[in-house]
Amino acid sequence: MDKSRRSTRTPCTHIVITGASSGIGQATAEAFAGRGAKLVLAARDGEALEAVAERCRRAGAEVLTVPLDIADAEAVRQLAQSARDFCGSIDLWFSNVGVGAVGKFVDVPIEAHERTIRSNLIGHMNDAHAVLPIFMAQRHGIFVNMISLGGLTGTPHAAAYGASKFGLRGFSEALRAEMTEWPDIHICDVYPAFVDTPALRHAGNYTGKALTAPPPMLDPRRVAAAIVGLADRPRDSVPLGAPTWFVRFAHPLAPSLLSRIGNLAFGRYFASAERAPVSRGNLFDPPRDNGGIDGGFRKPAPERRRAVLSVGAGVAAGVLLLGLLSARRSFGR
């Protein structure tokens, strides 16, 4: 059965979003609010969460906020129960929490690696474990897993982040297999490339250098629009951004080469980047600022066009190189 076509059309009006206090989570909350959805928003920072809720209420949405840490399984179970009590049902659950620790693996404290895994992988498993029984009881529901480009290729200088995202990909595939007998329960994965959110500013930084991401960076609202689109047409996998499409093609052909190129690129960047203090970021505590949707990393339009052309040329060269490697392998058999 093609699960991208729901056999029973149920409008998605009751939405739960974890990691809703900034970035993609906030953008998605505001996008659903514009559609008149009833929202349950969760994150660690209650003050920032309430600021997002007020924006959604001004757009006409009914909103419940639940401050919690999704690494706490019991708190997530209570979130699911509160959401069902508030909404009557849950149509879509967006599992969006994501943290990161940037630095060479051996330079990052093991507790920072562990915290990344607990938030990005175990936390999402807590979300699913809490909501899937509700979906099964009501016989419909959409679980949206925020993964990332990091779920498709190795992430040097962010090893635990990549491990968590690879784990999420496997977790989603397992859930989809188990949900086969439930045609109106969908497990959807979203794989954006680099997104311009406060997440990079909030990350644990063990490099001693200022963090940034390569262009082109996605507008968080574009990612939010894709998630809202899943409410109308659920799909197993949603890649976003040219780098994600390139990596999906390139990784099966030359996974080690791709990771080494990434390692060289990050190494060159850190060699010349400005110094910055080592920081645990938001790994163990909520960020000190209220976040907002945008991270402020995107370049002005003229610089962005030049960067896109430069990246495009690099992608084309990479595709050509990988094509040659693939052809060489084929002829060498």
Side-chain angles (χ1 to χ4, degrees), residues 16 18 70 93-97 123-125 127-128 143-146:
V16 178
T18 60
I70 68 164
W93 184 297
F94 179 26
S95 189
N96 174 59
V97 168
H124 287 237
M125 295 174 74
D127 281 356
F143 186 79
V144 180
N145 230 345
M146 174 54 65

Side-chain angles (χ1 to χ4, degrees), residues 102-138:
V102 183
K104 290 183 177 180
F105 177 73
V106 296
D107 293 340
V108 175
I110 194 64
E111 58 267 24
H113 290 307
E114 181 180 359
R115 177 63 193 183
T116 300
I117 298 293
R118 287 195 63 80
S119 295
N120 294 5
L121 178 56
I122 303 300
H124 287 237
M125 295 174 74
N126 289 340
D127 281 356
H129 202 266
V131 75
L132 284 179
I134 295 173
F135 285 172
M136 294 164 76
Q138 65 191 24

Side-chain angles (χ1 to χ4, degrees), residues 5-330:
R5 297 181 180 179
R6 306 181 69 197
S7 60
T8 304
R9 177 62 64 180
T10 303
C12 285
T13 56
H14 301 155
I15 312 296
V16 178
I17 302 173
T18 60
S21 59
S22 66
I24 295 169
Q26 178 179 343
T28 305
E30 293 185 12
F32 273 119
R35 289 169 45 127
K38 202 168 186 178
L39 300 172
V40 178
L41 307 181
R44 289 179 297 173
D45 188 337
E47 183 178 339
L49 200 58
E50 192 57 37
V52 175
E54 278 305 308
R55 292 177 63 90
C56 293
R57 291 182 184 117
R58 288 198 295 270
E62 294 181 66
V63 186
L64 173 69
T65 60
V66 182
L68 56 70
D69 183 340
I70 68 164
D72 182 342
E74 180 56 34
V76 177
R77 280 193 288 272
Q78 290 297 322
L79 167 65
Q81 184 59 54
S82 297
R84 185 163 58 174
D85 292 344
F86 180 69
C87 296
S89 64
I90 301 173
D91 299 317
L92 183 147
W93 184 297
F94 179 26
S95 189
N96 174 59
V97 168
V99 299
V102 183
K104 290 183 177 180
F105 177 73
V106 296
D107 293 340
V108 175
I110 194 64
E111 58 267 24
H113 290 307
E114 181 180 359
R115 177 63 193 183
T116 300
I117 298 293
R118 287 195 63 80
S119 295
N120 294 5
L121 178 56
I122 303 300
H124 287 237
M125 295 174 74
N126 289 340
D127 281 356
H129 202 266
V131 75
L132 284 179
I134 295 173
F135 285 172
M136 294 164 76
Q138 65 191 24
R139 307 189 69 82
H140 76 271
I142 301 170
F143 186 79
V144 180
N145 230 345
M146 174 54 65
I147 304 186
S148 87
L149 174 63
L152 300 172
T153 186
T155 54
H157 300 271
Y161 179 85
S164 70
K165 298 301 184 177
F166 266 69
L168 275 183
R169 194 176 82 187
F171 174 59
S172 281
E173 289 179 4
L175 287 186
R176 267 193 293 274
E178 292 187 16
M179 291 294 109
T180 301
E181 62 185 282
W182 302 88
D184 292 317
I185 296 177
H186 304 270
I187 311 297
C188 306
D189 298 337
V190 182
Y191 294 90
F194 297 102
V195 186
D196 183 17
T197 72
L200 193 59
R201 194 168 65 242
H202 294 161
N205 182 0
Y206 297 89
T207 67
K209 298 296 183 74
L211 299 180
T212 188
M217 297 190 77
L218 294 172
D219 186 325
R221 295 161 191 82
R222 178 181 169 189
V223 184
I227 294 156
V228 171
L230 290 171
D232 300 320
R233 182 174 176 268
R235 291 183 287 161
D236 290 352
S237 179
V238 181
L240 294 170
T244 298
W245 285 99
F246 169 67
V247 167
R248 286 188 81 183
F249 166 76
H251 188 266
L253 297 175
S256 296
L257 175 62
L258 205 60
S259 294
R260 287 171 186 167
I261 290 171
N263 185 56
L264 286 171
F266 280 112
R268 289 184 63 182
Y269 167 74
F270 288 128
S272 59
E274 295 181 4
R275 291 190 174 276
V278 169
S279 167
R280 305 196 314 172
N282 69 343
L283 286 172
F284 300 95
D285 300 290
R288 294 179 180 177
D289 61 68
N290 282 343
I293 292 177
D294 300 290
F297 296 100
R298 275 173 292 169
K299 298 178 182 296
E303 293 182 41
R304 189 162 62 247
R305 280 195 294 270
R306 288 194 295 271
V308 168
L309 288 173
S310 175
V311 170
V315 167
V319 170
L320 177 59
L321 173 60
L322 290 164
L324 290 172
L325 288 171
S326 178
R328 183 179 178 183
R329 286 182 183 177
S330 298

